[in-house]
Amino acid sequence: MDSSQPIDEEESSLLPSCSTNPDPHNDEEDDTEERAYDAREKIVVRISSDDSAAAADDGDVPPFSWRKLWLFTGPGFLMSIAFLDPGNLEGDLQAGAIAGYSLLWLLLWATAMGLLIQMLSARLGVATGKHLAELCREEYPGWARLALWFMAEVALIGADIQEVIGSAIAIKILSNGVLPLWAGVVITAMDCFIFLFLENYGVRKLEAVFAFLIAAMAFSFAWMFGETKPSGKELLIGVLVPKLGSKTIRQAVGVVGGVIMPHNVFLHSALVQSRKIDPNKENHVREALNYYSIESTVALIISFTINLFVTTVFAKEFYGTKEANSIGLENAGQFLQEKYGGGLFPILYIWGVGLLAAGQSSTITGTYAGQFIMGGFLNLRLKKWIRALITRSFAIVPTIIVALFFDTSDSALDILNEWLNVLQSVQIPFALIPLLTLVSKEHVMRIFRIGPIIQMVTWTIAALLIMINGYLLLEFFSSEIDGPLLGSIVCFAIVVYATFIVYLILHGGELSTRLASAIRKRFS
């Protein structure tokens, strides 16, 4: 080895890629198509020279390296923020207050299901070098592509409204009510400029900020957990022993339905491309998938623990009380304050800090996801600040209107949250079905397509999630829709909706191929 060369090439992998001899084919693609990250923005994770030689000989994955794991760490934690957004926190506190500890087992298994879906999203991005929105643009005809893009944008706006309102509530709490909800929305809207500022300093700096926000959430809710001292025995029983009562069905649906956020499925497939990986080299792809699997698992274990803290705090203090059915994001801190009073660090403000960290981190990742969704589906080559402003405007304008209209009572915000949960539930199939279809296709994934057992498991999970959200929709519309005209419009919309889902399931998948083959055999 030349003594002028560094002994360990991983040292240079801390810097973004800046190759002086780029692949001309990749340059050509970058000139004509939108990409999640430019080549100069990607983090290089080089294989050391000894490992490279061994890998070249036998194609094996290089041995595990803690330093490489550190360099691959980041995308999974950004993905995990969707499991910690204000909408999920509200679901946690309501599940704890109404169902006590009894739904903790469901929270655990729902997180595990979410991990499997997100690992498939990462697999798609690493193996193809493209994210889900880009692949949908290539896979589906124009009308279906535009419909999927519209659905993804609607889901993102719904999630963003919840996240921005959550941040605004936190700002209202921390300002002791001086700043109204609409002012908090305007302040939160400025986070896109923070996002743009951080992007200029590289991917790793942005990931560090999100790590800080997750740490702030963990510290705040762990503090509350320590203050309230929930029962360890009941917590353990709740995690290990499945239990579901007729009175807690709605909370159970909320726990499972909050796991899959449509925009998060698109987001993770793009985030994994922040590392420079050659999808044409099998051992490089396998190595990246191994490290991404580890970091995503660790990230979701942390998110599960934070959700567990929130659920058990409210289970300890409000399960079986008259306040249980009226607790929401805005009044939760006040209820806790009445129980525990002031002290050196009043629990009201600890709650506000955790909620603010959840809201700010999730709104910034929402802006990130909006860029990938818009760029991928429409192949728009716009400057990032323009895309960020467009994405932010889609959500902020309706959110300010919503804040002014619903900032009248806690019940009004609860009604808003129910409508937004329904809005996002409707969109889940339009992210999940294309993902499962694409990761099952050999011409897309090559040797990295998922096998029949994983296909069966993931399609079962998808069917379960669609049925759960179908139950939520049925319950919601049966109580909200009144009158024959409105009922007829909803019935027509449901037929169109179901027809599009069937189309997505049958489009180019093995199921449609087998069905066509059976029809040909039957009539030949």
Side-chain angles (χ1 to χ4, degrees), residues 198-423:
L198 293 173
E199 268 202 315
N200 291 331
Y201 289 89
V203 173
R204 295 296 277 178
K205 301 294 190 303
L206 187 64
E207 290 170 349
V209 170
F210 283 107
F212 171 78
L213 292 172
I214 292 173
M217 278 186 271
F219 176 80
S220 298
F221 299 132
W223 182 288
M224 291 170 53
F225 183 84
E227 284 282 309
T228 56
K229 298 180 176 60
S231 168
K233 179 182 177 182
E234 291 188 62
L235 187 157
L236 194 61
I237 292 173
V239 170
L240 298 178
V241 180
K243 182 181 178 182
L244 187 61
S246 58
K247 295 181 179 179
T248 60
I249 291 290
R250 189 166 188 171
Q251 284 68 43
V253 169
V255 168
V256 178
V259 165
I260 304 299
M261 304 290 284
H263 73 274
N264 207 38
V265 178
F266 289 97
L267 176 64
H268 199 198
S269 64
L271 290 174
V272 294
Q273 294 175 47
S274 60
R275 274 59 177 173
K276 190 173 180 63
I277 302 160
D278 186 351
N280 296 314
K281 294 183 179 179
E282 180 183 340
N283 58 336
H284 287 201
V285 173
R286 291 193 185 281
E287 180 185 41
L289 291 175
N290 289 342
Y291 285 118
Y292 280 137
S293 297
I294 294 171
E295 71 115 11
S296 295
T297 302
V298 171
L300 289 192
I301 287 174
I302 293 172
S303 75
F304 168 73
T305 304
I306 293 173
N307 285 315
L308 183 82
F309 286 158
V310 176
T311 303
T312 52
V313 163
F314 287 89
K316 166 68 164 55
E317 292 307 325
F318 300 103
Y319 177 55
T321 66
K322 62 181 181 180
E323 297 97 346
N325 290 312
S326 60
I327 291 180
L329 286 180
E330 188 164 12
N331 59 17
Q334 195 60 49
F335 279 130
L336 289 170
Q337 185 76 358
E338 291 171 2
K339 290 272 187 179
Y340 291 96
L344 182 61
F345 298 105
I347 198 167
L348 171 65
Y349 298 115
I350 297 295
W351 166 253
V353 168
L355 182 58
L356 182 63
Q360 286 296 318
S361 58
S362 56
T363 53
I364 298 174
T365 53
T367 303
Y368 221 6
Q371 291 193 20
F372 296 136
I373 289 170
M374 180 181 291
F377 274 111
L378 304 183
N379 196 24
L380 294 178
R381 294 187 58 82
L382 299 174
K383 291 182 179 180
K384 287 189 174 181
W385 69 268
I386 296 177
R387 277 189 296 169
L389 285 176
I390 293 173
T391 303
R392 191 87 305 219
S393 298
F394 279 165
I396 292 303
V397 173
T399 305
I400 292 176
I401 296 171
V402 161
L404 291 170
F405 183 75
F406 284 92
D407 191 17
T408 54
S409 66
D410 296 339
S411 60
L413 285 174
D414 290 339
I415 292 171
L416 169 66
N417 193 58
E418 286 184 13
W419 276 95
L420 292 175
N421 284 338
V422 168
L423 180 67

Side-chain angles (χ1 to χ4, degrees), residues 125-160:
V126 173
T128 64
K130 298 178 180 180
H131 57 81
L132 180 57
E134 290 176 307
L135 291 167
C136 286
R137 186 183 75 231
E138 297 174 359
E139 177 71 20
Y140 295 99
W143 68 269
R145 180 173 69 244
L146 290 175
L148 288 172
W149 169 68
F150 176 76
M151 295 297 187
E153 290 288 358
V154 169
L156 180 60
I157 290 170
D160 216 7

Side-chain angles (χ1 to χ4, degrees), residues 171-211:
I171 291 170
K172 184 177 179 180
I173 291 171
L174 295 174
S175 68
N176 206 22
V178 172
L179 294 174
L181 204 63
W182 67 265
V185 169
V186 173
I187 292 171
T188 305
M190 302 302 291
D191 66 16
C192 71
F193 297 105
I194 299 173
F195 166 74
L196 291 169
F197 174 77
L198 293 173
E199 268 202 315
N200 291 331
Y201 289 89
V203 173
R204 295 296 277 178
K205 301 294 190 303
L206 187 64
E207 290 170 349
V209 170
F210 283 107

Side-chain angles (χ1 to χ4, degrees), residues 36-52:
Y37 295 91
D38 295 332
R40 66 179 180 276
E41 296 176 314
K42 294 188 178 184
I43 304 299
V44 180
V45 186
R46 289 194 179 93
I47 302 174
S48 65
S49 55
D50 291 341
D51 289 342
S52 294

Side-chain angles (χ1 to χ4, degrees), residues 13-94:
S13 62
L14 290 164
L15 300 174
S17 170
C18 50
S19 172
T20 56
N21 186 26
D23 187 331
H25 177 68
N26 289 340
D27 272 1
E28 183 179 346
E29 281 189 341
D30 287 343
D31 288 339
T32 59
E33 292 189 1
E34 172 64 24
R35 287 287 177 257
Y37 295 91
D38 295 332
R40 66 179 180 276
E41 296 176 314
K42 294 188 178 184
I43 304 299
V44 180
V45 186
R46 289 194 179 93
I47 302 174
S48 65
S49 55
D50 291 341
D51 289 342
S52 294
D57 290 339
D58 54 23
D60 289 340
V61 175
F64 178 81
S65 164
W66 285 104
R67 182 175 294 176
K68 285 181 186 174
L69 177 59
W70 170 248
L71 293 173
F72 275 107
T73 297
F77 282 87
L78 268 69
M79 168 273 295
S80 72
I81 286 169
F83 290 70
L84 299 167
D85 70 356
N88 273 299
L89 295 183
E90 183 159 32
D92 291 338
L93 67 89
Q94 289 175 346

